[in-house]
Amino acid sequence: MKRLPTAGNGQPLVLGIETSCDETAAAVVAGGRILSSVVSSQVALHRRFQGVVPELASRAHLQKIGPVVGRALDEARVSRTDVVAFTRGPGLMGSLLVGSVAARTLSRLWGCPLIGVNHLEGHIFAAELGSESRPIGTPFVALIVSGGHTDLILSERPGGYRVLGRTRDDAAGEAFDKIARLLGLGYPGGPAIDRRAASGDSGAEPFPRPLLPGTWDFSFSGLKTAVYYRVKDGPRPGRTRVSDLCAGLQAAVTETLIQKTLAAARRHGVRDVVLGGGVAANSALRRGFKALREQGLRVAAPPRPLCTDNGAMIAHAAGRMLRLGSRSLLKRLLRPCDCLPARSLRPDPSLPLASWAS
Ligand code: KG4
Ligand code: ZN
């Protein structure tokens, strides 16, 4: 197998391209060091629809992908990289296609290998990026919470994953977004609820914790219905405050997530827990997760800007695969750039989080 050329720190320079949903993102990373990270958000475009419109998202990716990749290379002061990585899935098909075609084109132009990365694996290892971060060793339990996912994942060896549980209905971020819409707080709802909750009293408007005993799965759609009935007839005069509703709701969601993560770590005898995904930016969730240290766990979470979708997490996940993967895996992954039909490079909107270690 051809040896990879390396960057200044002895690690390959990886360009990561992320276009799975509504952020057009690219970054250059070498050995866990971010040399550049550019994110062009489509929030303004989707705001008036109060949610992501797939057709608009893919068109916006098409417009932005060239300038975003160009800026990522300029800011990293490089004209090419040794490897190109892109998000294969899960995500919106039209959006994924734009990133995959851009990545393929660049790898062909530069004559360098191309790697397809699972978006969830990117979110997990985003916790290794940032100045205070440390490498995440196995075994660990990861909680990935975003607009599309609420997954509890066990990893017992590098590159080995078992999804213990996931949401049965709304993902945590999706629940925040829908409830914020009900409360007229705008889009995206997660950050808006986080801000309003800061001045609220979580005990004033309590909500049940949907713990679903006996399973590692989650369900947040009931909370949405509970909020609906509380505000349907208008706020109770002088009693219901939106900030209290936000604080109560946020407490119900975050305590459920944290309790189940703690229980999964205990059940599987794991000391390391990892938080990732857009909802990992939530203040209450970050506080609660850090408090797990008092239970004897080691916790890792990405810096806030790396919780939501970005190219650095994709480049970094690819770099880890290159570092830790077996020769046969690398042979399979590092396809020559003209080898598109390879399964490992096909965008897949419902790509499962599969183990790549044997
Ligand atoms: O990971 P991400 O950027 O995209 C997906 O892969 O889905 O996550 C976006 C989600 C949105 O639902 C957004 O409302 C939520 O993350 N989010 C938050 C916060 N910041 C973003 N939810 C709660 N609190 C926040 N501070
Ligand atoms: Zn995401």
Side-chain angles (χ1 to χ4, degrees):
M1 192 177 51
K2 232 172 80 183
R3 276 179 70 85
L4 287 171
T6 55
N9 63 356
Q11 302 282 347
L13 266 185
V14 185
L15 170 69
I17 295 180
E18 155 61 39
T19 61
S20 65
C21 189
D22 61 339
E23 321 278 11
T24 315
V28 178
V29 173
R33 202 159 55 91
I34 301 177
L35 305 184
S36 67
S37 179
V38 179
V39 180
S40 170
S41 170
Q42 300 178 9
V43 161
L45 177 68
H46 300 289
R47 182 167 282 133
R48 75 189 160 105
F49 303 100
Q50 303 271 302
V52 177
V53 182
E55 176 67 22
L56 294 182
S58 32
R59 286 181 194 209
H61 284 308
L62 265 179
Q63 283 174 348
K64 297 285 176 168
I65 191 71
V68 165
V69 168
R71 230 182 94 196
L73 294 171
D74 286 351
E75 286 182 10
R77 297 174 185 278
V78 295
S79 53
R80 54 158 292 174
T81 57
D82 306 314
V83 178
V84 178
F86 68 100
T87 303
R88 264 189 77 199
L92 301 170
M93 189 55 172
S95 295
L96 292 169
L97 275 169
V98 176
S100 81
V101 169
R104 181 163 41 105
T105 307
L106 287 171
S107 85
R108 184 150 200 162
L109 192 69
W110 297 337
C112 74
L114 184 61
I115 303 184
V117 173
N118 188 301
H119 185 75
L120 295 176
E121 197 164 345
H123 274 310
I124 295 174
F125 293 103
E128 285 188 336
L129 297 168
S131 53
E132 288 169 30
S133 311
R134 58 179 174 79
I136 300 165
T138 50
F140 65 79
V141 164
L143 172 71
I144 302 303
V145 271
S146 70
H149 293 269
T150 305
D151 288 0
L152 204 48
I153 297 153
L154 172 67
S155 176
E156 293 175 298
R157 60 203 151 87
Y161 303 106
R162 184 143 66 92
V163 179
L164 300 174
R166 52 167 55 101
T167 183
R168 293 185 178 176
D169 38 59
D170 292 346
E174 188 182 2
F176 279 136
D177 292 339
K178 288 178 175 171
I179 291 168
R181 199 183 312 164
L182 274 176
L183 297 173
L185 297 181
Y187 171 85
I193 288 182
D194 196 351
R195 275 193 301 276
R196 295 299 286 261
S199 57
D201 170 3
S202 61
E205 290 285 341
F207 286 91
R209 275 59 177 150
L211 283 169
L212 307 191
T215 144
W216 300 117
D217 285 349
F218 300 91
S219 168
F220 294 114
S221 68
L223 287 174
K224 183 182 59 193
T225 314
V227 174
Y228 172 77
Y229 281 110
R230 259 181 239 192
V231 299
K232 179 165 80 82
D233 306 315
R236 285 166 290 161
R239 291 196 55 200
T240 312
R241 294 194 316 137
V242 170
S243 52
D244 290 343
L245 277 175
C246 290
L249 169 85
Q250 189 173 265
V253 172
T254 58
E255 281 173 28
T256 304
L257 292 170
I258 287 165
Q259 277 191 40
K260 294 198 81 143
T261 307
L262 174 62
R266 288 208 166 128
R267 169 70 62 86
H268 292 280
V270 164
R271 276 197 65 200
D272 282 275
V273 288
V274 182
L275 180 65
V279 182
N282 183 268
S283 315
L285 185 56
R286 294 176 83 80
R287 266 196 309 275
F289 217 75
K290 281 195 183 136
L292 287 176
R293 288 186 184 135
E294 291 154 24
Q295 309 282 337
L297 298 182
R298 281 189 297 252
V299 303
R304 267 207 171 91
L306 294 175
C307 290
T308 43
D309 294 346
N310 63 84
M313 68 185 198
I314 300 304
H316 180 55
R320 290 185 82 261
M321 286 162 106
L322 293 177
R323 216 169 52 249
L324 302 171
S326 62
R327 284 181 77 86
S328 65
L329 171 88
L330 296 187
K331 226 174 179 166
R332 196 154 41 84
L333 283 181
L334 297 174
R335 313 298 304 196
C337 45
D338 53 356
C339 193
L340 186 68
R343 264 189 62 214
S344 65
L345 293 177
R346 245 177 256 156
D348 180 349
S350 39
L351 186 70
L353 180 63
S355 301
W356 46 259
S358 45

